[in-house]
Amino acid sequence: MQSGKELIDTALYGGTPERIPVSIVSTAWIFNNYGLDLALVDRDGEKMAKSWLAFNKEFGADSVCPMLSPMLIPEYYGSEMRIPPGGFPLLVKPAIQEPADLDKLEAFDLAGEPRIAAAVDCVKRLVKEIGSNTFIWLVCIGPISTLSRLMDTQLIMECLVEDPAFIERAFAFSVEVFKTTMEPLIEIGVDAIDFSDPVASPDMVSPRMYKRFFWKHDREVAKWIQSQGVHAIYHICGNVLRIIEEMQNTTARGLSVDAPLDLAQARDRVPDATLIGNVDPANIIMNGTPDAVTVACKEAMIRGGSNGRFILAPGCDVPPTSPPKNIDAMIRAVKQFGHYPIEF
Amino acid sequence: MGTKEILENLKQSIIDGNRKATPALAQKAIDMELPPYAIVTDACSPAMAEVGELYQQGEYFVPEILMSAKAFEAAMAVIEPHLKSKRLEFTGTVVLGVSEGDIHSIGKNLVAIMLEASGFNVVDLGTDVPAKKFIGAAIKSNADIIGVSALMTTSMIGMKDIVRLVKEEGLGVKVMVGGGPVNQEYADSIGADAYGRDAMDAVRVARNLMEDVRGA
């Protein structure tokens, strides 16, 4: 029987594993579920690792998903952030108020950064304890969307029209910072880096603008990650059908897709891509019942994964208040119904 | 430049999102002694309506709409001091804000500008707005509609409290909701009166709600 690690590896390499694997991609839910505060835990590698180890034991998913704190880069450069109780990080005051502020930012210096040290510590513990059988799926904000925590997203949108040269510089800067912060984690044995880029969503920017400004940077990131011997998993929120071919052309081995995407249509567009998703985080995982979760999982599996190259996952980060029984239902769904050939 | 041409140029400048050129065109229309109200109704508002159509057709996305909104605001800043009074009659009053725990303002800002361009009086409460503040503002402004936006799954939960408080207070105000994770099903589940898919749809929804308000 394939281990969780082998199941996901097989799917990401484009094969058909014994059954559809499942990954509970979560930054805040996991800590909320184990009584920890996201605002505090990101400096404590031991506590983060303990949460994922407890999750691994309790739920038996195929992966654990440690994170590099989404607060790290924004706060390093002076953005003010806050995390509401049971919520996700919010940008309160951006470091870049106007384009000229970008030039004041220096290269990222890893030395003495407790959140980097904590992420490294967490990953090391997970690799040591369960890394031989469980897939280590590192979750982080991609460089383009990290920029939206260094400057207001509305300013990014305005500059895309009025100051494209600045946007090019800003994206390139953010990519370099991203690589610097990822290096210590790559070295210690993560299996994949899942970088999300919600600002590139077709809900926000046109496919034309995505291709002109975003794609080449995300492609650079995907290729760089994979040149280090690690799978790149690329997430964009919203309905990405219009850019799914370009997403695949970044070379990322996994395309993580959100609930609004029709998986069957996506499968037609990119038959060779490994799709990851796309159970509705809000309306099913957070607000639904276990039965509704099972129905949604079966639908995702049949529409996206009937011929392999598919990993069941939430469409986006699991909402922190989601009931554990719904997470359990997702994992049960693949174990009960996800064996190939898929037949319900 | 004739009357028709200046209005056409102003309209096109807003559609193009040219916030630098737009104020001068608005000023030129004022200098030509065109009735200020007509400049709004014949150039500025139709421009935003066309921007809405371009969005619906998949031609415009957030950056383009934002720049048109900026150009619209720049034109209105020139024209408004010349209006003898604010609109004699608004289409309706909408109290608008982003749900508590959420600071994503772009969607809300676009809804505000599209509603204003369609003749609504918008009371913009900003972001991270507690439920009680929506209620207080609705009472104070005698609002017809409360509009709530949320981009995060964690903040959309707050919409439920607003609907509940409206009912508890016995207010006649309608509640419309929207934003990334929100859909019709969720709107129905919390008892909201309407769901707007995007900023353009919000105008349609608000107009429909106004028919209910007037018919009540």
Side-chain angles (χ1 to χ4, degrees):
Chain A
M1 192 174 77
Q2 284 186 305
S3 66
K5 188 184 183 88
E6 289 166 338
L7 291 169
I8 294 178
D9 251 334
T10 306
L12 286 174
Y13 278 122
T16 302
E18 288 172 4
R19 68 160 164 81
I20 290 176
V22 59
S23 183
I24 305 300
V25 180
S26 148
T27 55
W29 175 83
I30 181 75
F31 303 122
N32 210 41
N33 189 52
Y34 290 104
L36 297 171
D37 185 344
L38 178 64
L40 301 173
V41 79
D42 66 352
R43 288 182 171 84
D44 191 328
E46 185 179 359
K47 282 186 179 165
M48 289 194 287
K50 273 187 176 171
S51 297
W52 279 111
L53 289 170
F55 169 83
N56 186 58
K57 194 171 176 185
E58 186 180 344
F59 290 85
D62 299 314
S63 74
V64 288
C65 304
M67 66 166 187
L68 180 62
S69 174
M71 311 283 277
L72 169 72
I73 297 169
E75 289 196 342
Y76 177 88
Y77 284 114
S79 288
E80 290 177 25
M81 308 279 291
R82 77 176 175 87
I83 303 178
F88 291 114
L90 300 174
L91 175 64
V92 177
K93 188 178 174 194
I96 300 173
Q97 301 276 340
E98 56 183 15
D101 291 340
L102 177 67
D103 299 322
K104 298 173 192 163
L105 307 185
E106 296 179 352
F108 195 97
D109 181 4
L110 292 169
E113 273 305 313
R115 286 167 168 144
I116 292 271
V120 168
D121 181 31
C122 172
V123 170
K124 276 184 176 170
R125 290 170 187 269
L126 295 175
V127 170
K128 183 181 171 195
E129 294 284 331
I130 55 175
S132 54
N133 288 317
T134 303
F135 194 91
I136 311 291
W137 180 306
L138 183 78
V139 179
C140 62
I141 306 288
I144 304 305
S145 290
T146 289
L147 187 67
S148 73
R149 293 169 182 209
L150 291 173
M151 59 189 283
D152 197 278
T153 306
Q154 188 159 324
L155 182 57
I156 295 177
M157 295 291 119
E158 290 171 19
C159 290
L160 282 164
V161 176
E162 290 191 327
D163 196 352
F166 163 72
I167 284 296
E168 292 284 2
R169 282 195 302 122
F171 283 179
F173 171 81
S174 199
V175 167
E176 290 311 308
V177 172
F178 177 87
K179 288 179 185 172
T180 302
T181 58
M182 282 298 132
E183 271 169 355
L185 292 150
I186 281 176
E187 289 164 4
I188 54 171
V190 296
D191 295 306
I193 293 177
D194 176 339
F195 67 103
S196 59
D197 193 1
V199 178
S201 169
D203 291 345
M204 298 283 280
V205 301
S206 65
R208 180 178 53 81
M209 211 168 245
Y210 168 74
K211 287 172 207 166
R212 179 177 169 195
F213 292 105
F214 294 74
W215 178 81
K216 63 185 172 189
H217 296 290
D218 285 338
R219 181 170 184 266
E220 181 183 342
V221 169
K223 288 183 78 112
W224 177 79
I225 290 170
Q226 286 170 175
S227 73
Q228 312 287 316
V230 172
H231 297 290
I233 294 171
Y234 180 32
H235 175 81
I236 296 181
C237 299
N239 186 348
V240 296
L241 189 66
R242 281 174 291 186
I243 58 169
I244 193 89
E245 287 109 329
E246 283 75 23
M247 287 178 71
Q248 185 185 25
N249 289 340
T250 62
T251 74
R253 291 199 194 106
L255 304 183
S256 165
V257 294
D258 202 352
L261 181 73
D262 184 317
L263 285 174
Q265 287 185 335
R267 180 51 77 208
D268 284 345
R269 294 272 180 100
V270 286
D272 301 331
T274 296
L275 298 174
I276 301 164
N278 68 342
V279 183
D280 187 328
N283 295 295
I284 298 294
I285 300 177
M286 181 172 72
N287 291 331
T289 61
D291 285 346
V293 171
T294 304
V295 170
C297 290
K298 287 170 77 174
E299 188 181 341
M301 287 191 280
I302 200 82
R303 292 179 75 80
S306 52
N307 292 313
R309 299 182 300 281
F310 183 71
I311 299 168
L312 186 75
C316 204
D317 203 340
V318 176
T321 55
S322 302
K325 61 187 178 184
N326 285 356
I327 301 298
D328 188 52
M330 277 185 75
I331 295 164
R332 282 174 184 273
V334 290
K335 292 184 177 175
Q336 189 172 352
F337 303 108
H339 288 269
Y340 286 103
I342 304 295
E343 291 169 339
F344 309 139
Chain B
M1 200 182 291
T3 301
K4 194 176 171 190
E5 195 178 359
I6 186 69
L7 289 175
E8 271 303 315
N9 287 353
L10 176 58
K11 181 182 167 190
Q12 193 58 49
S13 186
I14 294 171
I15 293 168
D16 292 343
N18 191 339
R19 63 174 159 177
K20 286 174 187 156
T22 298
L25 290 165
Q27 187 61 52
K28 194 160 188 174
I30 294 289
D31 293 345
M32 289 170 72
E33 299 188 344
L34 297 180
Y37 190 76
I39 302 173
V40 176
T41 56
D42 294 348
C44 300
S45 292
M48 291 310 290
E50 191 161 331
V51 167
E53 283 172 22
L54 287 166
Y55 175 81
Q56 304 284 8
Q57 292 161 10
E59 291 287 323
Y60 271 25
F61 290 74
V62 171
E64 294 86 358
I65 303 171
L66 266 178
M67 296 320 298
S68 289
K70 293 278 175 191
F72 174 83
E73 284 176 336
M76 292 304 292
V78 172
I79 299 163
E80 273 184 341
H82 299 275
L83 292 167
K84 284 182 183 154
S85 62
K86 295 276 180 185
R87 259 170 230 273
L88 292 176
E89 193 178 332
F90 287 112
T91 311
T93 293
V94 182
V95 166
L96 193 64
V98 178
S99 195
E100 187 170 20
D102 199 335
I103 46 88
H104 294 90
S105 60
I106 292 178
K108 182 269 298 171
N109 292 346
L110 292 177
V111 171
I113 205 87
M114 296 308 289
L115 287 172
E116 281 173 356
S118 304
F120 281 89
N121 173 37
V122 176
V123 179
D124 189 342
L125 302 180
T127 61
D128 194 10
V129 183
K132 282 184 180 171
K133 195 171 173 185
F134 278 99
I135 304 303
I139 293 169
K140 191 176 172 189
S141 62
N142 194 25
D144 303 294
I145 299 169
I146 291 175
V148 195
S149 166
L151 188 70
M152 304 170 82
T153 50
T154 46
S155 59
M156 66 190 264
I157 303 165
M159 293 172 165
K160 193 163 46 181
D161 297 330
I162 297 164
V163 172
R164 178 178 53 78
L165 284 174
V166 164
K167 286 179 182 159
E168 282 177 10
E169 297 281 337
L171 302 179
V173 64
K174 303 285 184 185
V175 180
M176 66 179 196
V177 296
V182 183
N183 60 14
Q184 185 67 56
E185 190 183 2
Y186 182 71
D188 292 342
S189 76
I190 62 169
D193 296 291
Y195 159 70
R197 194 178 59 254
D198 51 48
M200 277 44 75
D201 196 40
V203 173
R204 178 192 63 78
V205 166
R207 283 183 175 144
N208 287 347
L209 287 175
M210 287 309 299
E211 286 179 16
D212 293 348
V213 169
R214 294 201 176 107

